[in-house]
Amino acid sequence: MIQTPYYLIDKSALLRNLQIVDRVREHSGAKVLLALKCFAGWSVFDLMRQHMDGTTSSSLYEVRLGREKFGGETHAYSVAFADHEIGEVVANCDKIIFNSISQMQRFERFAGSKPVGLRLNPGVSCAAFDLADPARAHSRLGESDPARLLSVIDRLDGVMIHNNCENRDFDRFDALLDEVEQGYGDILKRLNWISLGGGISFTAPGYPLERFCERLRRFAETYGVQVYLEPGETVVRHTTTLEVSVLDIGFNGKNLAIVDSSTEAHMLDLLIYRETAPIGDGKGEHSYQICGKTCLAGDIFGEARFDRPLQIGDRISIGDAGGYTMVKKNWFNGIHMPAIALREPDGSVHVVREFSFDDYVSSLS
Ligand SMILES: *Cc1c(COP(=O)(O)O)cnc(C)c1O
């Protein structure tokens, strides 16, 4: 048995999402790039690259990872590139997308023959949480003023618009795209490509894929552009679990189960977005609060129900631990870093990476 904690990536589940990606590529004509900031588990890139066109990045390290480990088309974007990074960024990308006109003016001469894009912030978005809303007041994410955008249009090959966030509602996506077209149609007509970013939950059950593809196709035809999508979360949703063991059981008005992992260290977004992890099927008559082992009082994964009372040593699977988890794991409290294991389609499970005390020490000095 593999020592817990570990993240378990189920390749069959991943393939199910990737087959939906294939349908979208085929029926819409859009190219689909993996957003590495959400998921950078390169041990499954060999599978993913058969169903995706490449990667998009938000930093020098991500663009290098995309180039070296994924291949295909590699988009470089960053909220701000530094002088010492720009050469290596350009060397590793196929397109470079600047966040502001001032970054573009500073660095476009380094782009050589590579296409240059800008992030367009249309000022409208679908994001339930202010922290993750690119259209929030005083946003730094992209250029919004059509006149300013038109002033550099001759030097622009394309734009990237990222204004959806876990959006499962096709009609909302459709309405937002209408607003972008109304506000920026003159600009969009003059480009070769438009990236519509990530945040569209098109692998969710019941998502109207045909209407989505038709909308993307119509958008591409109207402006004569190649459309790109940059999904992260929707590609890896429900593909990965965090496997943990129960270390102690207690009671304080509720049954408490302490496990050998931590929200802050291994599933940080649960804390940031005040969410609880999906654990089990929500059935069974024995309910427990599943708690992390750090000294943070609110280190709680969530509530779960089981058919029988939990025992020390029992294993628990914490669901949906692919997106924005493994890329954010850290050494808080010196908690043992989860290993990474793959479940192959034939059911066999093997570890592809383990972490040790030496990794903890070498992450510091
Ligand atoms: C975060 C991000 C993505 C991926 O978003 P998901 O919600 O994971 O699909 C894509 N593009 C940009 C610019 C982003 O910032």
Side-chain angles (χ1 to χ4, degrees):
M1 264 228 276
I2 299 169
Q3 179 72 57
T4 56
Y6 61 98
Y7 299 103
L8 177 59
I9 305 172
D10 186 328
K11 290 169 86 172
S12 302
L14 185 57
L15 184 59
R16 279 196 293 278
N17 287 345
L18 291 168
Q19 281 164 344
I20 298 174
V21 170
D22 274 337
R23 271 179 69 189
V24 169
R25 291 160 84 204
E26 189 182 328
H27 292 239
S28 72
K31 291 189 182 181
V32 181
L33 309 179
L34 174 65
L36 293 173
K37 90 166 195 284
C38 171
F39 183 80
W42 49 267
S43 61
V44 290
F45 282 1
D46 56 345
L47 172 64
M48 299 181 90
R49 84 165 67 83
Q50 298 168 40
H51 307 274
M52 303 185 82
D53 297 280
T55 57
T56 188
S57 57
S58 25
S59 63
L60 169 60
Y61 287 173
E62 284 187 0
V63 77
R64 268 192 64 180
L65 185 79
R67 173 62 95 209
E68 291 177 16
K69 296 279 194 191
F70 200 106
E73 268 189 71
T74 309
H75 284 198
Y77 163 75
S78 172
V79 169
F81 293 110
D83 292 12
H84 65 89
E85 295 176 328
I86 195 71
E88 208 178 340
V89 168
V90 168
N92 282 286
C93 75
D94 296 301
K95 290 186 177 67
I96 184 159
I97 301 166
F98 295 108
N99 183 61
S100 66
I101 290 175
S102 81
Q103 277 261 307
M104 180 174 150
Q105 282 166 342
R106 186 172 182 84
F107 293 126
E108 66 187 324
R109 68 199 155 92
F110 295 98
S113 59
K114 298 199 173 164
V116 166
L118 255 183
R119 179 165 183 167
L120 189 164
N121 184 335
V124 287
S125 66
C126 166
F129 216 90
D130 194 43
L131 183 64
D133 182 1
R136 61 188 276 148
H138 315 295
S139 175
R140 71 194 183 299
L141 302 173
E143 294 282 350
S144 294
D145 179 2
R148 268 173 65 79
L149 284 156
L150 279 168
S151 74
V152 295
I153 194 82
D154 292 337
R155 284 135 62 197
L156 278 188
D157 203 52
V159 294
M160 182 267 279
I161 302 165
H162 171 70
N163 64 342
N164 286 278
C165 184
E166 297 210 25
N167 184 1
R168 290 182 182 211
D169 179 353
F170 169 77
D171 292 321
R172 183 90 183 90
F173 165 77
D174 184 30
L176 276 174
L177 197 54
D178 283 345
E179 286 192 61
V180 171
E181 294 191 67
Q182 280 153 24
Y184 299 91
D186 294 349
I187 291 161
L188 306 184
K189 277 201 298 255
R190 298 181 60 181
L191 302 170
N192 294 320
W193 51 267
I194 297 170
S195 171
L196 296 177
I200 309 161
S201 299
F202 61 81
T203 64
Y207 196 85
L209 278 178
E210 292 314 315
R211 290 174 67 207
F212 178 52
C213 292
E214 197 275 328
R215 183 70 178 90
L216 295 178
R217 218 172 40 238
R218 189 152 45 82
F219 180 81
E221 280 163 14
T222 305
Y223 302 100
V225 291
Q226 172 65 53
V227 169
Y228 287 88
L229 299 173
E230 305 176 347
E233 180 65 38
T234 208
V235 178
V236 294
R237 69 187 292 277
H238 299 315
T239 64
T240 304
T241 51
L242 176 60
E243 301 291 315
V244 300
S245 296
V246 175
L247 300 178
D248 197 14
I249 304 271
F251 181 85
N252 189 2
K254 274 183 178 178
N255 292 317
L256 309 174
I258 296 171
V259 301
D260 54 359
S261 179
S262 149
T263 54
E264 169 128 17
H266 307 151
M267 283 187 84
L268 184 58
D269 271 15
L270 296 179
L271 291 189
I272 294 178
Y273 296 101
R274 301 199 194 110
E275 290 169 351
T276 55
I279 306 168
D281 57 8
K283 301 198 182 90
E285 54 191 283
H286 303 277
S287 86
Y288 290 84
Q289 187 172 74
I290 307 300
C291 312
K293 64 171 271 178
T294 68
C295 42
L296 179 72
D299 188 359
I300 297 164
F301 286 94
E303 307 277 332
R305 305 186 76 85
F306 300 90
D307 290 334
R308 57 179 185 80
L310 283 180
Q311 311 278 331
I312 290 169
D314 280 352
R315 293 194 167 209
I316 298 174
S317 281
I318 299 176
D320 212 11
Y324 300 100
T325 53
M326 300 166 74
V327 289
K328 293 189 174 190
K329 61 184 156 53
N330 63 63
W331 289 104
F332 178 59
N333 261 227
I335 303 293
H336 193 90
M337 183 70 77
I340 301 171
L342 303 183
R343 180 183 283 126
E344 298 292 340
D346 68 7
S348 64
V349 176
H350 59 105
V351 173
V352 291
R353 178 79 161 103
E354 280 173 301
F355 301 91
S356 66
F357 172 73
D358 291 340
D359 295 305
Y360 167 59
V361 172
S362 65
S363 75
L364 300 163
S365 181

